[in-house]
Amino acid sequence: MTAAPGQQNPEQQDREQQDREQQNKVRLAVVQLVVPVGDPEGNRRRLAETVEEHRDADLIVFPEMFVPGYDLAVVTERSDELAEDAETGPTAVLVRELAAAHGVTIVVGFLERADDGGLCNSLLIAAPGAGLAVYRKSHLFPAELPVFEPGHELPVVHTPAGVLGPQICFEHAFPAIATTQALAGAEVLVIPSAVGADHEHLIEVRTRARAQDNQLFAIAANSNSPGFCGHSMVVDPKGRVLAAAGLEDTVLRTVLDLSEIPAERRREPSLGMGRPHLYLFGREEETR
C-alpha cells in the first residue's frame, strides 16, 4: 500500500508506535547480595561484576551502604579508610565508567565524606550522558544520629531510565517524602535499604503504600547481609508487586512501563487534588 503525499504508511506508523512504547520501558535489575563489612575494594569488585552480568538493564539498584557494608561501629572506627569523596572517590570513578560503558543508570549506597569532614549515608546515581548525582539521607534513624550528618534536600534525578526519587531505608516511613518527589516529577522511587531482620513487613507495607499513594513505581533494594532481612521488592503504580525476593542472594529482573503512571493518574487523579494547607500542623486552609 502506498501512502498519500505527506502521510505515513501503516508500517511506518506501527514502527513509530513501537518505538514510543519501547521508550517508556525500563529494564530493571535490583541487587540483593550478602557483602562483607569493611571491604570496599571487594564490594566495588562485586558491584562491577554484577553490572557486567546485567549490562542489558537500563537501571540497576544496589542496597544502602553497599560499598562499605552497613555497620555503624565499623563505619565510625574506620571512617578514614571507608569514607569517600562523592565526586573523586573510587566508587564515583567506577560507577561513572560503568554507566558510560554499558549505557546503564546505577544507584548504589556508599559512605560519603562531606566537605566539613563529617560522614553522610549517601547514594551515588550515575547515568550515561547525565553526569553523577549524590543523595544524602535526610531522615536519619535514631541510632544513626551520632554518626551521620543529615542531608537537607529531597531531589529528583533525571536519567535515561526515568525520573528517579531517591530515598534511603528509614525514609520509607515518611509518606510526605514520596509525595514531595512525586509532585516534583518522580516516576520511580529508588529506596536502597538496610532493614533489620524480622522487619520485612515494613518493606512490603511501605513500598506498596508509597507506590500506590503516589501512583508511581517504587523499588526497595534491601540488604540480606547478616542482621538484615532481604525481601527486596518492586511495586507498580497500582500497588501491585512486580517482583519480590526472600532472604537469598538474587538479582530481581523486571520491566517498568512508565506509561502506566499517567494512565493510573488519569483513572484516579488523587495526586493533583491534595490540599496541603490542611495537612500541615492542622492549620486552616488559606482562603482568598
Side-chain angles (χ1 to χ4, degrees):
M1 179 182 295
T2 303
Q7 292 183 337
Q8 293 177 318
N9 64 44
E11 289 183 359
Q12 286 178 304
Q13 292 175 342
D14 288 345
R15 283 197 298 271
E16 290 192 2
Q17 178 65 24
Q18 291 171 2
D19 289 342
R20 285 192 295 271
E21 291 175 355
Q22 193 58 44
Q23 288 172 1
N24 286 321
K25 302 291 179 64
V26 176
R27 295 166 297 182
L28 172 67
V30 182
V31 180
Q32 181 178 285
L33 297 176
V34 172
V35 294
V37 173
D39 183 15
E41 287 190 17
N43 293 339
R44 279 190 289 270
R45 186 165 56 250
R46 293 176 183 88
L47 184 156
E49 291 169 350
T50 304
V51 172
E52 291 281 349
E53 183 179 354
H54 297 275
R55 59 185 178 273
D56 63 318
D58 300 306
L59 174 62
I60 303 179
V61 186
F62 291 82
E64 177 182 14
M65 297 281 281
F66 181 85
V67 174
Y70 190 103
D71 185 308
L72 295 179
V74 172
V75 163
T76 302
E77 293 168 6
R78 297 175 53 191
S79 64
D80 286 348
E81 60 180 294
L82 297 179
E84 306 179 48
D85 184 90
E87 292 291 331
T88 62
T91 302
V93 172
L94 175 63
V95 294
R96 269 201 203 95
E97 292 175 350
L98 291 169
H102 301 302
V104 61
T105 297
I106 301 167
V107 181
V108 63
F110 78 116
L111 179 64
E112 181 188 359
R113 176 71 72 185
D115 290 340
D116 63 3
L119 301 176
C120 299
N121 181 344
S122 299
L123 301 178
L124 283 170
I125 303 172
L132 190 68
V134 182
Y135 173 66
R136 293 177 176 176
K137 189 173 185 177
S138 58
H139 294 60
L140 298 173
F141 191 70
E144 296 176 326
L145 291 171
V147 179
F148 300 127
E149 294 182 0
H152 300 286
E153 297 181 22
L154 297 177
V156 297
V157 181
H158 292 257
T159 79
V163 184
L164 308 184
Q167 303 178 23
I168 302 177
C169 199
F170 184 53
E171 297 180 321
H172 245 135
F174 298 87
I177 296 176
T179 300
T180 297
Q181 292 175 324
L183 291 172
E187 298 171 303
V188 183
L189 300 179
V190 287
I191 314 170
S193 300
V195 175
D198 301 321
H199 287 78
E200 57 268 19
H201 63 285
L202 296 180
I203 296 177
E204 180 173 3
V205 171
R206 290 173 177 172
T207 307
R208 295 186 69 182
R210 299 299 87 81
Q212 197 282 324
D213 284 349
N214 299 287
Q215 298 160 313
L216 41 55
F217 290 93
I219 301 166
N222 194 50
S223 174
N224 65 328
S225 293
F228 303 102
C229 70
H231 284 79
S232 297
M233 181 175 292
V234 183
V235 181
D236 78 0
K238 290 184 177 181
R240 300 176 300 191
V241 177
L242 299 180
L247 189 57
E248 74 283 0
D249 276 8
T250 190
V251 177
L252 298 176
R253 294 299 306 261
T254 190
V255 176
L256 313 182
D257 183 352
L258 301 183
S259 68
E260 294 179 13
I261 298 170
E264 182 62 15
R265 289 176 180 173
R266 285 192 298 270
R267 191 189 68 81
E268 185 187 44
S270 56
L271 183 65
M273 298 181 68
R275 298 170 65 185
H277 289 291
L278 293 181
Y279 312 147
L280 297 176
F281 312 110
R283 295 191 312 204
E284 293 183 3
E285 190 168 37
E286 294 178 4
T287 58
R288 294 182 183 271

